Amino acid sequence: METFSNFITEQKNTHMTHIEDKVLYGGVDGTRQAINALRGLRDMLSGTSKGRISVKWDGAPAIFCGTDPSDGEFFVAKKGIFNKNPKVYKTDADIDADTSGDLNSKLKDALRYLPALGIKGVIQGDFLFGSGDVTTKTIDGQKYSVFHPNTIAYAVPYDQAKEVRAAKIGIVWHTTYTGTSFENMKADYGVDVSKLKTSRNVWSQDAMLTDVTNATMSERETKDVNEILSQIGTLFRQTASSTLKTVAENPKFAQAIETYNNKFVRAGTVIPDSTRHVNGLISNRQAYYMKEIARKKSKRGKDAWTAKMKDEMAFFSPKNRANLVKMFELQKLIVVAKLKLINSLDKLKSIDTFVKTSNGYKVTGEEGYVAIDTLGGDAVKLVDRMEFSYNNFSSDILKGWDSARR
């Protein structure tokens, strides 16, 4: 059986594609990668193979830190670390020259307190809280120490949260980088936190789930996932590779399809009948081109965009329409299998998670999970987008960074 390292491309961990969107961006190979990843997770959770799984914490901002390979100095950085001219901060003055507000304060705290951990190399994590961010709340009769970095509010029972309250900052680590320069660094999903020193000022967490015993799927649950995987395999074989290839080889078109799909995700609604969805996509793309054509002043400009529209509309032949229907059905089935695996993983929640509304706190699941190959260190992301993405984009959910509404 293929391992994760055979089918997940190693890349810098600034963005990971949702498993169902591998169908769009990877064509035949991407779809096969998604199927193999689901099979691997099934085997992990049914107890027939070993693996590593981490929790996707909903922290902000993402933070990179460690030793600059060019001069050996300690640094902190945000995602600009991988720019052609890397943005790294080694002094408060560096931070002041490039940032302001809450981000400025958090980066300065990171620069002040993280050297005590004795970090070697370069690691990435998510900022969970800084000075003054941990509050005491009573939720459903339980007293908690709460930090709310982004969409999800994390709640630790008050009596168990002394270290949280004593710390100046909280970080969860999830990725290690190796390389002789920032530009050529490769991501290895996971951080060996046992090599880090402890500091009272830093509540330093490992994103890994150390025990998946309680997440083991029952025989019935495993059978359900197997049935879905069988349906996925059958549908995959019936879908024309040429259609999948055309979508994958046109990234802007694939992104347009993802954007159209995400309209439903953000609204918290299920994507409709796939035939209707394809028809809606075609109408959406026609409207996009008509709007661009109307914006052009010259005949030359209008003709150029008219030609682009004609070229794309030619793709929507009856044959390709039928295969796009199957492609969307594939994505739907991958999501169903993914959610069943997430349901098993949710049994392992170690810290209570909520979202904050105008009427108080409401229980929610984790942001998601990342399954990591034990040999290659590569990863695949599983997120319940119907829940998390809706919470993320809904104006009814109060965000941690929206301090005026806390």
Side-chain angles (χ1 to χ4, degrees):
M1 179 179 173
E2 293 183 86
T3 64
F4 286 147
S5 57
N6 287 16
F7 57 82
I8 301 295
T9 302
E10 189 177 66
Q11 58 185 331
K12 295 177 178 66
N13 188 11
T14 55
H15 175 76
M16 282 192 288
T17 303
H18 289 280
I19 188 171
E20 61 270 25
D21 287 338
K22 290 185 176 294
V23 177
L24 301 178
Y25 294 104
V28 171
D29 288 343
T31 306
R32 189 175 290 116
Q33 290 165 8
I35 294 170
N36 287 339
L38 291 171
R39 287 173 177 167
L41 288 165
R42 171 206 59 194
D43 293 342
M44 250 188 263
L45 295 176
S46 61
T48 59
S49 72
K50 293 183 179 180
R52 295 190 301 156
I53 302 174
S54 71
V55 177
K56 278 186 61 60
W57 290 65
D58 185 33
I63 188 157
F64 301 76
C65 64
T67 304
D68 184 335
S70 69
D71 60 15
E73 290 189 25
F74 185 85
F75 75 92
V76 297
K78 46 194 177 74
K79 291 184 179 180
I81 185 175
F82 298 124
N83 292 347
K84 185 174 181 180
N85 296 311
K87 282 190 177 182
V88 297
Y89 313 115
K90 299 175 183 177
T91 66
D92 283 356
D94 291 341
I95 297 171
D96 285 336
D98 191 51
T99 67
S100 60
D102 187 59
L103 176 60
N104 179 280
S105 298
K106 284 181 165 55
L107 287 171
K108 284 182 178 177
D109 282 345
L111 186 62
R112 178 180 180 184
Y113 297 117
L114 291 181
L117 301 185
I119 298 166
K120 305 297 182 184
V122 177
I123 60 177
Q124 177 187 352
D126 289 318
F127 212 107
L128 298 176
F129 62 82
S131 179
D133 289 341
V134 178
T135 59
T136 301
K137 303 288 183 183
T138 299
I139 305 172
D140 295 334
Q142 170 79 46
K143 188 178 181 181
Y144 289 103
S145 289
V146 177
F147 47 93
H148 190 184
N150 205 353
T151 299
I152 294 175
Y154 295 94
V156 183
Y158 188 85
D159 292 341
Q160 301 172 25
K162 292 180 181 178
E163 292 181 356
V164 173
R165 294 193 297 275
K168 303 296 185 184
I169 61 174
I171 309 279
V172 59
W173 306 110
H174 53 70
T175 308
T176 300
Y177 292 91
T178 55
T180 56
S181 70
F182 293 126
E183 190 174 9
N184 69 18
M185 282 187 171
K186 303 277 181 151
D188 180 11
Y189 296 93
V191 175
D192 186 355
V193 295
S194 67
K195 293 183 179 180
L196 302 182
K197 297 177 183 178
T198 58
S199 168
R200 171 184 171 85
N201 293 321
V202 183
W203 191 65
S204 184
Q205 294 294 297
D206 181 352
M208 297 304 301
L209 293 173
T210 56
D211 181 8
V212 298
T213 305
N214 294 330
T216 301
M217 294 191 299
S218 67
E219 185 176 339
R220 176 71 250 180
E221 290 169 332
T222 303
K223 182 179 178 181
D224 287 345
V225 172
N226 285 340
E227 289 175 354
I228 298 166
L229 287 172
S230 178
Q231 294 174 42
I232 291 172
T234 299
L235 191 55
F236 182 34
R237 290 188 293 273
Q238 294 173 351
T239 306
S241 61
S242 58
T243 301
L244 295 176
K245 181 180 179 182
T246 300
V247 173
E249 290 183 349
N250 291 272
K252 288 185 178 179
F253 183 45
Q255 187 175 17
I257 296 175
E258 181 188 3
T259 300
Y260 182 67
N261 289 350
N262 284 348
K263 289 182 179 180
F264 296 89
V265 174
R266 293 184 181 190
T269 59
V270 177
I271 289 177
D273 170 83
S274 293
T275 299
R276 286 173 49 206
H277 195 60
V278 171
N279 292 335
L281 172 64
I282 294 170
S283 296
N284 175 272
R285 297 302 293 161
Q286 286 177 323
Y288 164 75
Y289 281 109
M290 294 303 294
K291 186 175 181 180
E292 291 297 327
I293 291 168
R295 284 178 175 174
K296 304 306 169 187
K297 305 261 186 214
S298 69
K299 183 178 184 301
R300 182 178 179 181
K302 289 181 182 293
D303 287 347
W305 276 90
T306 300
K308 290 180 183 180
M309 180 174 70
K310 184 177 179 180
D311 182 58
E312 186 172 310
M313 290 303 112
F315 169 75
F316 295 110
S317 65
K319 178 182 177 181
N320 278 335
R321 286 191 190 206
N323 281 294
L324 285 172
V325 169
K326 292 174 183 175
M327 184 187 78
F328 287 128
E329 288 296 313
L330 270 173
Q331 286 193 294
K332 287 182 182 180
L333 285 172
I334 288 170
V335 169
V336 172
K338 174 184 74 172
L339 292 178
K340 286 187 175 293
L341 296 167
I342 287 174
N343 285 339
S344 292
L345 290 167
D346 276 344
K347 299 173 186 176
L348 296 174
K349 188 189 296 186
S350 60
I351 294 179
D352 291 337
T353 51
F354 301 89
V355 288
K356 188 176 182 181
T357 73
S358 56
N359 295 319
Y361 288 91
K362 182 177 72 173
V363 174
T364 190
E366 301 281 7
E367 177 188 343
Y369 300 91
V370 178
I372 303 166
D373 172 29
T374 56
L375 297 176
D378 301 314
V380 60
K381 178 172 70 173
L382 295 91
V383 175
D384 182 349
R385 298 170 79 184
M386 189 63 71
E387 178 178 46
F388 179 75
S389 294
Y390 174 76
N391 288 338
N392 198 29
F393 292 105
S394 173
S395 59
D396 296 329
I397 304 300
L398 308 186
K399 310 304 189 293
W401 39 262
D402 192 357
S403 58
R405 301 177 69 188
R406 286 187 183 180

